[in-house]
Amino acid sequence: MRGIILSGGSATRLRPCTKVTSKQLLPVYNRPMIYYPLNTLLKAGIKEILIIVAPERAGDYLNLLGSGRKFGVKFTYEVQDKPKGLADAFIIGDNFIDEDDVVMILGDNIFEDDLSREIKNFKGGGRVFAKKVPDPERFGVVKFDKNNKATSIEEKPNRPKSNYCVTGLYIYDKRVVGIAKNLKPSNRGEIEITDINNWYLKRDELDVKLIKGEWIDAGTFNSLLRAQNFAKEKMHDKLIV
């Protein structure tokens, strides 16, 4: 299993704070934001981690994180020239992933749950994690049947079919690279990770787990403030970095 942290993008919703630094390098209580998704991968025993960054911020990440030796892992860095969608991470990471399974986490996502077991016991296909939220229209929305089996996933729908969204942690087998390369851009001009999820879902190979604890997508000022308070009260003693 290899890991990817996607930390590209320009984070326009957090301007002017992100005019001089990357969103994922902003402080969340007493650590840079990227330490939280990194913590999720380290707890799961991931030793090879690709960090995808925007070109103008590459040096900042290298200065902060280095080679990975101080964390007991090996970091590889790749530049995402411009945001093309979350699925683009698997195209950028083609050589890095090689023949392995891969877990990707977004650099602005903070999970309270320890997801190590779900990462370690992955056996193939795809696995994503869903959480009930008040604003599902901002995310990929999962609809479940009466047996809690996922039946559909829609990207940012105007009329969500449920209040459950897909969070920013994704696990796939090696086929994901080929799937991503064959995706067509959506109306937003991006290749959507929801299309990858639906590829596995249509083949009955997508496992959707429910998140029990807190999950924060710290991409807005309100959610960043919530992340600060949550990290101070609940997370500072759960981190290994």
Side-chain angles (χ1 to χ4, degrees), residues 131-199:
K131 177 73 176 177
K132 193 173 185 178
V133 296
D135 51 354
E137 66 279 356
R138 292 181 52 220
F139 307 98
V141 176
V142 188
K143 181 183 178 183
F144 296 96
D145 63 19
K146 62 182 180 180
N147 298 315
N148 290 324
K149 181 178 176 61
T151 58
S152 71
I153 302 177
E154 295 180 280
E155 181 65 23
K156 295 182 171 68
N158 292 325
R159 296 182 178 180
K161 294 180 180 178
S162 82
N163 288 322
Y164 286 91
C165 77
V166 177
T167 63
L169 180 67
Y170 314 86
I171 313 175
Y172 303 110
D173 58 27
K174 65 181 182 181
R175 291 177 293 171
V176 69
V177 174
I179 298 166
K181 287 181 177 180
N182 285 294
L183 293 180
K184 295 181 180 179
S186 66
N187 293 333
R188 301 193 303 152
E190 298 183 354
I191 52 174
E192 306 285 359
I193 202 159
T194 292
D195 290 336
I196 292 178
N197 290 332
N198 277 318
W199 190 94

Side-chain angles (χ1 to χ4, degrees), residues 2 28 36 73-74 101 113 150 176 197 204 225 228 235:
R2 297 195 171 208
V28 174
Y36 294 85
V73 299
K74 179 182 178 181
D101 297 331
D113 291 0
V176 69
N197 290 332
D204 199 27
L225 177 60
Q228 300 275 4
M235 290 293 288

Side-chain angles (χ1 to χ4, degrees), residues 73-87:
V73 299
K74 179 182 178 181
F75 291 146
T76 301
Y77 296 89
E78 289 281 359
V79 167
Q80 185 181 42
D81 293 322
K82 61 180 181 178
K84 299 178 183 178
L86 302 186

Side-chain angles (χ1 to χ4, degrees), residues 102-114:
V102 60
V103 52
M104 182 179 79
I105 187 169
L106 304 186
D108 60 358
N109 272 222
I110 298 172
F111 292 86
E112 180 180 13
D113 291 0
D114 184 348

Side-chain angles (χ1 to χ4, degrees), residues 22-36:
S22 170
K23 168 179 60 175
Q24 295 86 357
L25 297 180
L26 293 174
V28 174
Y29 187 45
N30 61 351
R31 288 172 172 83
M33 186 186 297
I34 195 172
Y35 272 43
Y36 294 85

